[in-house]
Amino acid sequence: MSEEIEGVVQGHREGHGFVIRDDNESDIYIPANEMRAVLHRDRVRARIVRTDRKGRPEGRIVEIIERPPHPIIGRLLQESGVWLVAPEDKRYGQDILVPGGAIGAAKTGQVVVVELTEPPALFGQPVGRVVEVLGEIDDPGMEIEIAVRKYGVPHEFSDECLALSKKLPDKVRAMDRKDRVDLTDIPLVTIDGEDARDFDDAVYCEPMRIGRTKGWRLLVAIADVSHYVQTGNAIDVDAYDRATSVYFPRRVIPMLPEKLSNGLCSLNPDVERLCMVADMVVTASGDIHAYQFYPAVMHSHARFTYTEVAAILANTRGQEAMKRQERVPDLLNLHDVYKALLAARGRRGAVDFETTETQIVCDENGRIEKIVPRTRTEAHRLIEEAMLAANVCAADFIQEGGQPGLFRVHEGPTPEKQDILRGYLKAMGVGMSISDDPQPAEFQAIAQATKDRPDAQQIHTMLLRSMQQAIYTPINSGHFGLGYEAYTHFTSPIRRYPDLLVHRVIKSILAGKRYQLPALPTPGEAEAKLAKRLASRVAAPTKQLAQRTQRVSREMQAWEAAGLHCSANERRADEASRDVEAWLKCKYMREHLGEEYSGVVSAVTTFGLFVTLDQLYVEGLIHISELGGDYFRFDEMRQELRGERTGIRYTIGTRLQIQVSRVDLDARKIDFRLVHEGEDAAASAPRSAKSTKSAKARQRNAAEEQPGRGPRSGSEEAYAAQRAGVKRSKTASREAGNARRKEQRNAGAKQAAKKAARKGRR
């Protein structure tokens, strides 16, 4: 009798699923017939019953341990007199039956939130009731309404929080100025994007002498949110629950109520505001010679945009500079200290890859007008270096103060990723590699040495992918990417809860007190997932480490929980934002089906190529079976697909001509078809050569042999799950799926009718 294994169910849109094991071993495949009794995200106990020819485990569900009370979002439909909700997240795999009296005010076709009243069974569908009507699928902003519920993003402030925020003053009072440094005469300015509404940082710089050498005094003033948001009050509870502001195209879900985020705490021009200041002395070589923190009251003397500042720095006698003559010398001082800090960054060996970020521009109805690249100017870099300097000083201050707090930790690449990167660099003939204990300077050196190569983008992408994600933790182990021994987040307390905690710790140290965290809620699903992922990085503890761990105080455990919570909610916000952007891009590309574009391969996988379009900055997949009449093998070392017969190679950076062939809004996926040279893009019928059919069949068989997984994180894994294991044509698969759903609905309808008949007899 095989052992029983605990884990979380990961559904798949094709009907089958997986159990993601708690012990981080290989996922257990669950066939479609077993999945009918469980739902995506259920915690279960499973038993492995067999392994397939590739050695992958297949199992059956033994017990449902926990069914998380997550609402399900979907469209309300009526078929053969039966009401049902088709989940928007297809990983749920089953429609939910809704009794006629449980639909409320919802109408056919509307997007609703449904709460389960009866769980699924092997021979019966789940039953639920409508608890919220979101509206029509094409309503402006519907994609955001879906995403915040799908990912559990808190989007409504509690009544207690709103009531408390209304009691706050509208401006700085005389009593608020007590024990603060008066900086109202210092010409601090804010520099932000054109569309910014909350301003949480202001800067000022002036030259000064440091002994016999020149230097600068750099002031970074940050909104003093901690003065108004007291530990443990209603506003603080809501802010902790959110942990971060979430940014969508045309909408922001803020961490703090608007009265604080856009009003009382925002460093708006020409009004007094409370702030916490990092007052730094920077040498000509870019080193921070001295610093101090203190609470202050300030008066922003100007609100600049990045575009304005970049124009002024480029031409100090130009039109933009003439409008701001009084502030031009201050901006030039800021530029000088920025160049010194940048030089120190280079000596430190911090990793600095240039990447293209995009911005979605929508019309009043929420439809995409265009997708444009965000230009990173000297003004962006200037503010970035000033904020980095303040954050480093904050981390050092907390360490020197001897109190626990949250650090922003970015560890080096794992041994597995190091091996992959070394093999890749060798295969690409780079002539440089990384050591057994790699330092950020090694990555930067490789980036610099390869920046003029035709495949520079491919190499830089692999360097980035070898690194880990940064987290918040009270255990400082440095920031690998930035090359800092200690680093934290101090500069954005309006939109990040860790920054607010850092402010409180700094104030406590200044006051000679010890900051106590408020009572924290029980960690949720997002934290549990991240904790499991982080645990996989750590080797088995030694006896000495186990003894030390037992002595860790409850205080440190509370800080670890806070860091885990903030890190997990940061991931959640990113996932929700990506989901909305993917939705918008899919809706946009539906209007361009059949059109031809040029693009660049941005990722290579066992199942195909991801291509990013040049003008639209939209990514889609060319499935491996669509690459022509050859059989392609994936070379992991070179990150390329190579044709067995022709020798054709596709790598990151390869330029291609494609045709938009399919858009799946539900799955947030876009499929491309490769357009070969001399081929008419409109002639999308497949070539009839036998070799083409044979190669495609072999390619699909090869795809089936890849380990199947549900969509977990990242577009590659999501597509791998979608494409691997496909044993029928797309049409046959859809027909089988429709038949299966119809059978389930009919069975559910019969079951509902029998229940009604029994009630009638009683």
Side-chain angles (χ1 to χ4, degrees):
M1 182 176 175
S2 63
E3 64 173 324
E4 294 181 355
I5 300 155
E6 290 189 11
V8 176
V9 172
Q10 181 90 57
H12 190 278
R13 59 187 293 108
E14 292 293 329
H16 58 270
F18 304 88
V19 173
I20 314 302
R21 299 170 57 156
D22 290 346
D23 57 11
N24 285 316
E25 295 296 320
S26 298
D27 300 344
I28 303 169
Y29 173 81
I30 305 296
N33 63 321
E34 284 280 324
M35 284 293 293
R36 293 184 66 173
V38 295
L39 287 173
H40 170 62
R41 302 167 84 173
D42 281 355
R43 170 164 282 280
V44 300
R45 189 173 285 115
R47 181 180 294 129
I48 297 173
V49 294
R50 65 176 65 87
T51 55
D52 64 12
R53 59 193 176 91
K54 300 293 290 184
R56 296 170 297 191
E58 181 177 326
R60 59 183 294 267
I61 305 297
V62 176
E63 180 187 356
I64 299 170
I65 302 171
E66 181 186 4
R67 179 156 281 148
H70 292 291
I72 299 172
I73 302 95
R75 295 183 73 177
L76 182 66
L77 306 173
Q78 189 178 35
E79 293 187 4
S80 303
V82 178
W83 290 98
L84 53 90
V85 170
E88 191 275 338
D89 188 343
K90 298 305 176 187
R91 290 176 294 180
Y92 280 99
Q94 301 185 59
D95 296 336
I96 293 93
L97 293 174
V98 181
I103 65 170
K107 299 176 182 177
T108 305
Q110 287 187 318
V111 181
V112 299
V113 181
V114 66
E115 180 182 78
L116 290 185
T117 56
E118 291 184 28
L122 284 175
F123 302 103
Q125 285 176 263
V127 180
R129 65 184 184 91
V130 174
V131 294
E132 185 180 6
V133 179
L134 300 184
E136 304 296 334
I137 190 68
D138 290 323
D139 286 350
M142 179 53 67
E143 67 282 355
I144 298 174
E145 297 296 335
I146 291 173
V148 295
R149 290 161 178 82
K150 180 177 176 180
Y151 291 95
V153 175
H155 58 285
E156 292 180 348
F157 288 106
S158 66
D159 293 339
E160 295 82 2
C161 172
L162 294 175
L164 187 57
S165 67
K166 286 181 181 178
K167 295 179 182 178
L168 292 172
D170 294 318
K171 59 183 181 180
V172 174
R173 301 164 299 187
M175 58 185 290
D176 298 324
R177 300 171 62 101
K178 186 180 178 182
D179 298 326
R180 289 180 177 269
V181 177
D182 188 340
L183 295 181
T184 53
D185 60 331
I186 301 293
L188 287 150
V189 299
T190 62
I191 306 175
D192 294 275
E194 279 80 358
D195 55 351
R197 295 180 62 195
D198 52 21
F199 312 114
D200 48 16
D201 58 84
V203 290
Y204 169 75
C205 183
E206 63 184 18
M208 67 175 294
R209 303 294 297 180
I210 306 173
R212 295 184 178 181
T213 61
K214 70 173 184 177
W216 298 270
R217 180 192 181 198
L218 173 63
L219 270 65
V220 175
I222 306 298
D224 191 358
V225 176
S226 62
H227 180 82
Y228 299 106
V229 182
Q230 301 299 316
T231 296
N233 72 10
I235 300 175
D236 191 41
V237 169
D238 276 25
Y240 177 79
D241 189 31
R242 297 177 178 221
T244 179
S245 296
V246 187
Y247 293 86
F248 300 110
R250 299 178 66 245
R251 182 179 169 188
V252 176
I253 296 179
M255 185 181 80
L256 300 171
E258 188 172 352
K259 182 169 183 178
L260 286 165
S261 59
N262 295 346
L264 190 56
C265 289
S266 183
L267 306 182
N268 300 325
D270 303 321
V271 291
E272 286 190 354
R273 289 288 184 258
L274 304 184
C275 60
M276 281 294 294
V277 179
D279 193 337
M280 299 165 280
V281 176
V282 183
T283 67
S285 59
D287 297 321
I288 298 173
H289 180 71
Y291 69 83
Q292 62 177 328
F293 286 93
Y294 51 83
V297 59
M298 61 161 284
H299 180 107
S300 174
H301 286 238
R303 182 270 202 258
F304 282 103
T305 67
Y306 290 121
T307 306
E308 280 183 285
V309 173
I312 292 170
L313 294 177
N315 184 3
T316 55
R317 296 184 179 181
Q319 186 176 357
E320 293 293 342
M322 291 300 103
K323 296 177 186 176
R324 307 274 195 160
Q325 287 186 32
E326 289 185 6
R327 303 277 74 82
V328 170
D330 298 338
L331 293 179
L332 291 177
N333 289 333
L334 281 167
H335 192 245
D336 288 341
V337 77
Y338 149 70
K339 287 189 290 186
L341 290 168
L342 190 65
R345 180 191 186 112
R347 291 193 301 274
R348 200 168 64 244
V351 180
D352 187 17
F353 298 138
E354 288 291 340
T355 56
T356 302
E357 293 185 11
T358 58
Q359 177 183 3
I360 294 177
V361 180
C362 297
D363 60 20
E364 293 181 355
N365 295 319
R367 293 177 56 185
I368 292 183
E369 284 187 343
K370 57 185 176 179
I371 302 171
V372 296
R374 290 184 183 270
T375 305
R376 193 160 171 256
T377 65
E378 284 284 279
H380 288 87
R381 297 183 179 94
L382 182 155
I383 290 297
E384 180 182 299
E385 288 298 331
M387 298 305 115
L388 290 176
N391 286 337
V392 169
C393 291
D396 184 72
F397 191 73
I398 290 174
Q399 277 196 314
E400 292 297 318
Q403 287 200 33
L406 288 184
F407 295 94
R408 182 67 167 177
V409 168
H410 181 224
E411 296 180 346
T414 62
E416 294 79 12
K417 288 190 175 184
Q418 290 180 35
D419 291 341
I420 292 172
L421 181 60
R422 289 190 193 98
Y424 170 77
L425 294 172
K426 183 178 180 181
M428 297 301 292
V430 171
M432 301 173 69
S433 190
I434 56 173
S435 63
D436 293 336
D437 183 21
Q439 301 301 310
E442 298 175 40
F443 285 76
Q444 189 64 17
I446 294 170
Q448 285 293 321
T450 57
K451 65 179 181 179
D452 296 325
R453 286 178 49 144
D455 54 0
Q457 181 185 355
Q458 175 185 355
I459 295 168
H460 293 183
T461 299
M462 286 299 297
L463 290 172
L464 277 171
R465 287 180 181 171
S466 69
M467 296 184 185
Q468 301 186 53
Q469 285 185 304
I471 60 169
Y472 295 107
T473 172
I475 303 169
N476 176 45
S477 54
H479 197 292
F480 179 83
L482 294 173
Y484 289 129
E485 292 183 2
Y487 185 71
T488 192
H489 278 168
F490 163 79
T491 55
S492 296
I494 290 178
R495 62 184 179 88
R496 290 189 306 228
Y497 196 81
D499 303 54
L500 177 56
L501 289 177
V502 166
H503 277 234
R504 289 171 176 168
V505 173
I506 289 174
K507 279 188 174 181
S508 296
I509 295 172
L510 290 173
K513 299 177 181 178
R514 191 173 186 86
Y515 177 69
Q516 294 292 329
L517 275 173
L520 302 174
T522 303
E525 180 186 8
E527 293 93 308
K529 285 182 179 178
L530 183 60
K532 178 182 150 188
R533 194 156 65 241
L534 294 177
S536 66
R537 299 182 187 176
V538 184
T542 61
K543 183 177 180 181
Q544 293 82 356
L545 181 60
Q547 291 173 345
R548 186 188 69 82
T549 303
Q550 291 173 0
R551 294 195 300 267
V552 171
S553 67
R554 288 190 177 184
E555 181 183 37
M556 185 60 76
Q557 290 175 351
W559 278 102
E560 288 177 351
L564 192 63
H565 172 82
C566 293
S567 300
N569 285 9
E570 179 185 43
R571 306 282 190 276
R572 179 179 67 183
D574 290 342
E575 289 172 357
S577 297
R578 282 196 296 267
D579 189 78
V580 167
E581 289 194 6
W583 167 291
L584 290 171
K585 288 178 179 179
C586 284
K587 287 192 74 173
Y588 182 62
M589 293 308 293
R590 282 199 307 189
E591 301 173 5
H592 299 276
L593 279 170
E595 294 183 14
E596 185 180 345
Y597 297 96
S598 60
V600 175
V601 175
S602 50
V604 183
T605 70
T606 56
F607 51 88
L609 309 170
F610 287 97
V611 177
T612 301
L613 304 186
D614 290 337
Q615 302 302 320
L616 302 181
Y617 302 97
V618 170
E619 188 180 65
L621 175 75
I622 302 177
H623 191 256
I624 196 167
S625 62
E626 301 293 333
L627 292 179
D630 202 349
Y631 180 79
F632 286 86
R633 292 189 181 276
F634 177 62
D635 185 333
E636 185 176 14
M637 284 295 187
R638 294 179 177 271
Q639 289 290 298
E640 71 176 18
L641 285 174
R642 183 188 295 239
E644 196 176 70
R645 177 174 54 83
T646 62
I648 294 175
R649 300 192 310 172
Y650 295 106
T651 64
I652 298 171
T654 301
R655 299 203 62 82
L656 298 173
Q657 197 74 9
I658 63 91
Q659 182 189 44
V660 183
S661 61
R662 180 173 175 266
V663 175
D664 186 342
L665 188 61
D666 289 338
R668 315 285 198 268
K669 305 302 179 210
I670 302 167
D671 285 347
F672 296 153
R673 188 181 71 84
L674 182 62
V675 176
H676 296 274
E677 190 174 350
E679 178 187 354
D680 181 3
S684 58
R687 289 164 291 284
S688 59
K690 290 183 179 179
S691 61
T692 302
K693 293 180 181 179
S694 174
K696 284 193 176 184
R698 291 172 63 203
Q699 209 73 72
R700 284 213 179 271
N701 290 337
E704 289 170 14
E705 292 179 0
Q706 298 303 323
R709 299 174 72 95
R712 297 176 69 180
S713 63
S715 55
E716 293 96 333
E717 288 186 340
Y719 263 119
Q722 183 179 346
R723 298 302 186 186
V726 177
K727 300 179 182 179
R728 303 180 296 275
S729 68
K730 292 177 184 175
T731 304
S733 176
R734 281 197 296 272
E735 290 175 353
N738 291 337
R740 184 174 67 250
R741 283 191 290 274
K742 188 173 181 181
E743 180 185 343
Q744 290 173 352
R745 290 167 189 162
N746 290 339
K750 289 177 182 177
Q751 188 181 32
K754 286 179 180 178
K755 283 185 179 179
R758 285 197 296 271
K759 285 181 181 177
R761 286 197 295 273
R762 288 197 293 269

